[in-house]
Amino acid sequence: MIFLVEETLKRIQSHKGVIGTMVVNAEGIPIRTTLDNSTTVQYAGLLHQLTMKARSTVRDIDPQNDLTFLRIRSKKHEIMVAPDKEYLLIVIQNPCE
Amino acid sequence: MQMQLVDKSLGSPQHPLLLAPTRLRTWSRPGGTCGDGEGAGGVPHPIPSLRPPAAGTMEIVYVYVKKRSEFGKQCNFSDHQAELNIDIAPNPELAEQFVERNPVDTGIQCSVSMSEHEANTERFEMETRGVNHVEGGWPKDVNPLELEQTIRFRKKVEKDENYINAIMQLGSIMEHCIKQNNAIDIYEEYFNDEEAVEVTEEAPSAKTINVFRDPQEIKRAATHLSWHPDGNRKLAVAYSCLDFQRAPVGMSNDSYIWDLENPNKPELALKPSSPLVTLEYNPKDSHVLLGGCYNGQIACWDTRKGSLVADLSTIEFSHRDPVYGTIWLQSKTGTECFSASTDGQVMWWDIRKISEPTEVVIMDITRKEQLENALGAISLEFESTLPTKFMVGTEQGIIISCNRKIVCTFSGHHGPIYALQRNPFYPKNFLTVGDWTARIWSEDSRESSIMWTKYHMAYLTDAAWSPVRPAVFFTTKMDGTLDIWDFVFKQCDPALSLKVCDEALFCLRVQDNGCLIACGSQLGMTTLLEVSSGLSTLQRNERNIASSMFERETRREKILEARHREMRLKEKGKAEGRDEEQRDEGLATDLEALVSKAEEEFFDIIFAELKKQEADAIKPKPMPQQPSSEEVQVAQEGEEATGERVGDEEEEDLA
């Protein structure tokens, strides 16, 4: 099982345009990351708050709804956040133009 | 002893006998009302009585008496049954003055009564600070600095069942999205090449974005603005007090550079020894600024070096009056500039050696290079596409066009020319502002401007062309309004007139993208406005229309000029002809005689026509209405014709 996890993460990282992948837990501790520590910590802290806010927004509008995925498209790249109860999977991709 | 106290003051609401609409005299006793006071001696009884006084109004009087010996005695209060003292019956006669209304329509709303209030909060001072992000969230037993412990913690988490499941699930979602991104660019712009040519019919508008206030206590006027050459994220504002010798004691000399993101605090303060009247960024090197001081010196700053003056010209060789205009020149070194002041001199400087000007030109239009005759320069214009020519606007209302030496002059304004700028699209035409009008000139037409606005109620202080639209320009006035003129849209009035503030606006600068305008006011307040997109995007065909308008007006002025010249030549010719016979006084009297003769002839013809009209009126007319109007018309035409004939006769006499 652990092997599958490894393979999944490796596969994600190897996709075209992916700059970095990281897994962060609910306390903001980066479990797995392919970027350097300071960047990871920054992303972890900021995106965690944003995900919480997005989730609460979705649920405020419709309490039976829930956040499944968050995509932030910026000028330079796209940040994709897949939230879970305890963990966050964050991928930064440069979409091909 | 009995006494009657008559107190004319209208009693307090506690008094029992108030209320009647008639004039009421009540009695009030200090210490509260009391019933029958019991005390030794007589019992004072209130004696209410209705005494109709002489005036005819009902007077209700409540009288009570008290013995003098009892004054000052302690009050003993007692309960008392209510007594009806006065009963004022309604007067049915009054009802006859009213008409009963049945039914009565009144609006009633059954809701909570509310009121609306507005409150403006104090300005919120904000400061940007950074926070050091320290890694946290590690459980207590793990020291985040210890690599082994963190690795061990991570490994432990990775073995967790939850983790594995979560990652599998999230991973599949994530892969889906990644593949999506790689497959299609969902933000692709279709039809990029065709520009949207929508003629937006929205009305021109502008809104204030931000206000930069002078942080000093003693407010100075913002006399000049300059945008940062790269990206226009910063604005340099020069503050000074231009009232002659009325600068308040303790006024600071500082001028500021503001960052648009931070309106609360200026980014950098420039500290000269004398307040700056103008300030310009070097378009080649965005760290260097040139300032013209109130005492005539030129100073330059390097923002990398700080806020003190990097270089200052020496007083002996500087201007003798405040420097009103400074412009950077286009040179290979990017260090050359020139300045103008009301002392009549235009000086060229090289900032590497700023102690002395490299060249001085005196604005003497008689070309004698006399400083006494020189005109004071207030505004300066230099277009980088015409590198040797420059123009100076003077205090006397004359624009001097120079090419290192004076070439020609344009006159037409009645007051000092506060702004002078060439049209960025058509450099042959330039805009000036002075007295109460704004005028557009063409270089070919020297006698007068080709287009001008009407005379406004307030003095115009500054003007600027829009860098994106050739037909749009902005002006500011002393009453604090900003006018935006668009002469392909409307020629007689501004397309948009905005009141920016209550005090006078002194200067104006448009940002290079044509959207943002900064204007500075008399109390040091710089307002940043954004104009609507209609005014800042090039309209279809606008360049052609604008250029054809300029050409047409120039041609009209040329025709008028030619006509004037002809008339002047004729006058000169006749004056010379007369000189052979008489002198100038003779000419004057002859003119008067001519005028009186012309008047006589004119009136003769009028009377003749009138007589003819009367004669016709006596004759029987088939259609009463039309012939008379026709006759009137004929008479009028006859008068006009005679007017022309008189003119011709006059000319024939003169010729």
Side-chain angles (χ1 to χ4, degrees):
Chain A
M1 283 301 269
I2 306 172
F3 170 71
L4 282 175
V5 165
E6 286 294 327
E7 210 191 271
T8 311
L9 290 173
K10 252 197 221 121
R11 201 174 53 232
I12 289 176
Q13 178 63 32
S14 64
H15 269 288
K16 185 166 153 203
V18 172
I19 300 172
T21 315
M22 60 188 94
V23 181
V24 181
N25 83 342
E27 275 119 36
I29 303 174
I31 310 290
R32 276 293 285 267
T33 172
T34 60
L35 301 171
D36 60 283
N37 196 34
S38 52
T39 319
T40 308
V41 162
Q42 202 177 20
Y43 269 106
L46 295 168
L47 284 172
H48 195 260
Q49 292 177 32
L50 185 62
T51 316
M52 289 299 115
K53 190 71 175 176
R55 174 179 276 145
S56 70
T57 308
V58 168
R59 293 187 71 131
D60 274 348
I61 294 172
D62 180 5
Q64 293 178 337
N65 208 350
D66 195 9
L67 180 71
T68 52
F69 202 78
L70 184 61
R71 260 173 151 168
I72 303 165
R73 189 109 177 193
S74 74
K75 265 202 302 218
K76 296 191 184 165
H77 42 239
E78 180 160 344
I79 303 170
M80 293 178 277
V81 180
D84 185 64
K85 255 200 345 251
E86 277 178 53
Y87 302 95
L88 278 182
L89 175 61
I90 302 168
V91 171
I92 303 157
Q93 187 189 21
N94 196 355
C96 56
E97 319 277 334
Chain B
M1 276 202 289
Q2 287 199 337
M3 274 205 354
Q4 287 197 339
L5 302 164
V6 178
D7 189 343
K8 287 220 169 97
S9 65
L10 227 29
S12 54
Q14 303 99 281
H15 200 279
L17 281 189
L18 196 52
L19 306 173
T22 53
R23 202 160 53 103
L24 180 67
R25 266 206 238 147
T26 59
W27 299 65
S28 58
R29 190 170 172 222
T33 56
C34 69
D36 303 349
E38 285 169 359
V43 176
H45 274 280
I47 312 169
S49 57
L50 287 170
R51 253 188 292 143
T57 55
M58 286 270 264
E59 219 181 67
I60 302 173
V61 175
Y62 185 81
V63 179
Y64 76 94
V65 300
K66 185 171 181 179
K67 279 201 170 152
R68 187 185 258 256
S69 56
E70 284 169 14
F71 279 9
K73 263 204 183 149
Q74 189 188 30
C75 286
N76 293 328
F77 293 106
S78 61
D79 256 330
H80 190 57
Q81 281 285 346
E83 247 178 49
L84 181 63
N85 285 322
I86 298 285
D87 186 19
I88 306 173
N91 187 356
E93 289 165 24
L94 291 176
E96 294 181 19
Q97 295 180 16
F98 296 91
V99 173
E100 188 175 315
R101 190 163 132 199
N102 189 7
V104 174
D105 256 325
T106 34
I108 290 184
Q109 194 177 20
C110 180
S111 73
V112 184
S113 68
M114 295 185 282
S115 68
E116 187 182 314
H117 292 279
E118 266 179 32
N120 210 1
T121 55
E122 286 270 324
R123 222 165 101 125
F124 187 61
E125 293 278 338
M126 291 189 289
E127 217 180 279
T128 319
R129 278 175 184 247
V131 168
N132 203 8
H133 184 116
V134 177
E135 214 172 304
W138 293 97
K140 282 214 179 86
D141 52 347
V142 177
N143 182 1
L145 301 168
E146 287 276 324
L147 205 52
E148 290 173 24
Q149 293 187 15
T150 53
I151 292 180
R152 211 182 329 136
F153 179 81
R154 287 197 174 107
K155 285 227 163 69
K156 195 173 68 169
V157 171
E158 281 177 9
K159 292 201 179 85
D160 186 19
E161 181 86 34
N162 272 342
Y163 174 81
I164 295 171
N165 291 335
I167 293 295
M168 298 309 297
Q169 195 200 3
L170 298 178
S172 57
I173 304 175
M174 184 62 80
E175 272 205 82
H176 176 73
C177 291
I178 291 176
K179 284 181 189 161
Q180 252 181 10
N181 272 344
N182 283 332
I184 273 183
D185 177 16
I186 64 176
Y187 295 108
E188 183 183 340
E189 283 276 334
Y190 306 124
F191 313 119
N192 239 340
D193 302 330
E194 296 176 21
E195 288 174 25
V197 190
E198 341 122 34
V199 184
T200 42
E201 292 301 332
E202 58 177 60
S205 65
K207 61 174 194 257
T208 312
I209 295 185
N210 226 333
V211 170
F212 302 92
R213 283 175 224 275
D214 186 7
Q216 296 287 332
E217 289 286 321
I218 301 175
K219 301 283 176 201
R220 309 148 300 161
T223 48
H224 202 87
L225 296 164
S226 173
W227 286 97
H228 189 102
D230 300 321
N232 294 340
R233 292 276 97 206
K234 296 197 210 172
L235 191 57
V237 187
Y239 295 94
S240 61
C241 179
L242 283 178
D243 294 333
F244 181 63
Q245 294 191 343
R246 252 189 273 156
V249 175
M251 185 179 95
S252 145
N253 295 338
D254 293 351
S255 293
Y256 297 109
I257 297 181
W258 295 88
D259 188 340
L260 293 188
E261 313 287 320
N262 188 2
N264 293 333
K265 204 158 113 35
E267 194 194 332
L268 186 61
L270 303 172
K271 299 182 196 296
S273 50
S274 147
L276 286 180
V277 179
T278 78
L279 189 52
E280 285 284 339
Y281 265 104
N282 186 345
K284 290 256 171 68
D285 182 359
S286 54
H287 297 283
V288 177
L289 291 128
L290 177 71
C293 295
Y294 192 67
N295 62 1
Q297 286 177 301
I298 307 284
C300 78
W301 277 267
D302 190 331
T303 50
R304 293 168 293 204
K305 287 196 197 144
S307 45
L308 291 176
V309 183
D311 258 323
L312 191 58
S313 63
T314 42
I315 283 228
E316 297 87 22
F317 297 109
S318 308
H319 290 280
R320 301 269 178 272
D321 263 353
V323 178
Y324 281 102
T326 51
I327 297 194
W328 289 94
L329 287 171
Q330 286 278 31
S331 68
K332 286 197 292 278
T333 52
T335 52
E336 284 178 36
C337 55
F338 66 138
S339 65
S341 154
T342 38
D343 63 357
Q345 297 174 42
V346 174
M347 296 185 175
W348 273 262
W349 308 83
D350 186 330
I351 52 168
R352 292 169 297 191
K353 186 175 168 291
I354 209 171
S355 47
E356 245 186 52
T358 52
E359 201 179 318
V360 176
V361 170
I362 296 180
M363 292 285 112
D364 180 7
I365 44 176
T366 57
R367 319 237 173 149
K368 285 202 204 74
E369 306 284 325
Q370 293 282 0
L371 200 54
E372 294 84 50
N373 300 344
L375 306 173
I378 287 254
S379 47
L380 203 52
E381 205 285 335
F382 173 75
E383 177 78 26
S384 43
T385 50
L386 304 161
T388 50
K389 293 209 287 197
F390 68 96
M391 289 200 296
V392 175
T394 61
E395 266 189 313
Q396 285 76 10
I398 300 178
I399 302 155
I400 304 178
S401 160
C402 312
N403 197 340
R404 292 271 152 169
K405 294 279 166 205
I406 296 179
V407 168
C408 61
T409 65
F410 301 83
S411 56
H413 271 293
H414 309 297
I417 295 175
Y418 283 115
L420 178 57
Q421 195 188 7
R422 285 186 197 265
N423 189 322
F425 292 83
Y426 301 105
K428 281 190 107 181
N429 299 298
F430 55 95
L431 169 71
T432 61
V433 140
D435 57 56
W436 297 269
T437 58
R439 286 171 193 267
I440 299 180
W441 304 71
S442 160
E443 277 187 355
D444 306 324
S445 153
R446 306 251 171 97
E447 306 273 317
S448 76
S449 50
I450 60 173
M451 292 159 79
W452 56 90
T453 67
K454 61 174 193 255
Y455 282 88
H456 295 278
M457 298 305 293
Y459 219 81
L460 266 74
T461 46
D462 201 358
W465 286 104
S466 161
V468 287
R469 287 191 59 183
V472 169
F473 63 94
F474 307 90
T475 56
T476 53
K477 302 218 283 277
M478 287 291 278
D479 59 0
T481 45
L482 170 77
D483 290 331
I484 306 181
W485 297 79
D486 180 0
F487 57 74
V488 298
F489 172 66
K490 208 194 315 191
Q491 283 87 36
C492 48
D493 276 322
L496 182 63
S497 184
L498 278 170
K499 187 142 175 72
V500 173
C501 54
D502 289 326
E503 61 266 11
L505 284 175
F506 273 150
C507 57
L508 167 73
R509 269 290 173 273
V510 188
Q511 207 199 36
D512 289 335
N513 62 6
C515 273
L516 289 179
I517 311 174
C519 36
S521 80
Q522 196 172 17
L523 293 179
M525 196 169 79
T526 308
T527 316
L528 201 63
L529 294 126
E530 182 178 353
V531 281
S532 61
S533 56
L535 289 168
S536 55
T537 41
L538 195 59
Q539 301 287 322
R540 221 174 1 177
N541 236 359
E542 188 180 333
R543 297 177 80 146
N544 294 339
I545 297 176
S547 73
S548 62
M549 278 184 89
F550 284 140
E551 278 167 33
R552 184 183 72 212
E553 299 299 324
T554 317
R555 220 180 19 222
R556 174 181 64 91
E557 281 300 321
K558 280 221 188 81
I559 293 175
L560 283 175
E561 244 178 80
R563 188 79 208 285
H564 278 140
R565 226 176 294 147
E566 273 176 36
M567 284 174 55
R568 258 183 282 135
L569 278 174
K570 239 192 230 167
E571 293 242 352
K572 233 167 71 173
K574 101 162 127 69
E576 278 167 9
R578 280 281 160 73
D579 272 346
E580 292 168 0
E581 308 169 3
Q582 302 155 7
R583 272 169 299 158
D584 279 351
E585 299 116 280
L587 183 66
T589 49
D590 249 9
L591 270 175
E592 283 177 22
L594 274 173
V595 165
S596 55
K597 205 174 85 170
E599 273 184 32
E600 274 177 40
E601 285 176 3
F602 180 68
F603 280 119
D604 284 340
I605 295 173
I606 296 290
F607 288 139
E609 281 290 331
L610 276 174
K611 276 195 202 120
K612 209 177 87 177
Q613 224 184 1
E614 284 170 17
D616 284 341
I618 295 172
K619 281 191 233 157
K621 295 179 287 276
M623 284 186 298
Q625 302 267 342
Q626 286 175 345
S628 54
S629 61
E630 280 177 34
E631 281 177 8
V632 168
Q633 264 185 0
V634 165
Q636 278 177 353
E637 281 168 40
E639 283 172 22
E640 287 171 11
T642 50
E644 283 177 350
R645 262 187 284 134
V646 168
D648 287 342
E649 284 174 6
E650 229 183 359
E651 283 195 15
E652 283 168 60
D653 279 342
L654 299 173

